[in-house]
Amino acid sequence: ILPQQVPAFLAQCQVGIVPYNPSITRNTLGDSMKVFEYLAAGLPVITTRFQSGLEQKFSGLLEICETYNQFATAIEKKLKTPPTCEWQMRAHKFVQVNSWQARMKEILALTDEP
């Protein structure tokens, strides 16, 4: 899939999954770009724990699963229940606050300070 095809591809999806292998990725640094991409597309996100502090950072926007069975059950549940308008508004706001444009404004503001 080409980068320009991603939005059309995601528009056909009902849920975004981030199935990291916890024994390999536990407590890794950084965030998964897929989480931000899925949220920007308005998709509910189901993930395994790939770093500590996910609950605080993503504030209820992710469903974090600890086992394979939880993961499969969460996917089935999300496919049957579309995200609420409230969730979509929260996800949109989160993405806007964490966009590259917002981050660059913060960096530039820091460099302008005496």
Side-chain angles (χ1 to χ4, degrees):
I1 188 167
L2 299 172
Q4 61 269 26
Q5 296 172 314
V6 172
F9 176 79
L10 290 178
Q12 301 301 310
C13 297
Q14 294 175 277
V15 65
I17 61 171
V18 186
Y20 283 113
N21 181 336
S23 64
I24 296 171
T25 58
R26 187 165 303 279
N27 296 319
T28 59
L29 298 174
D31 298 316
S32 171
M33 286 301 295
K34 289 289 175 230
V35 171
F36 291 95
E37 291 169 352
Y38 292 151
L39 291 174
L43 295 174
V45 181
I46 301 166
T47 183
T48 55
R49 188 173 308 282
F50 59 89
Q51 76 174 206
S52 60
L54 286 176
E55 291 86 355
Q56 295 96 353
K57 181 164 188 164
F58 291 97
S59 174
L61 293 172
L62 308 180
E63 179 144 356
I64 303 166
C65 301
E66 303 292 341
T67 68
Y68 296 115
N69 287 338
Q70 286 178 348
F71 200 83
T73 300
I75 292 170
E76 290 173 0
K77 181 180 167 188
K78 293 291 183 194
L79 289 174
K80 293 177 185 173
T81 310
T84 64
C85 289
E86 178 187 348
W87 181 91
Q88 289 177 327
M89 289 179 359
R90 287 181 59 227
H92 179 75
K93 183 177 180 180
F94 180 84
V95 169
Q96 292 300 312
V97 169
N98 289 283
S99 70
W100 285 115
Q101 291 85 1
R103 290 181 183 188
M104 284 306 301
K105 283 181 183 178
E106 289 177 25
I107 291 168
L108 293 172
L110 290 172
T111 60
D112 288 343
E113 291 183 12

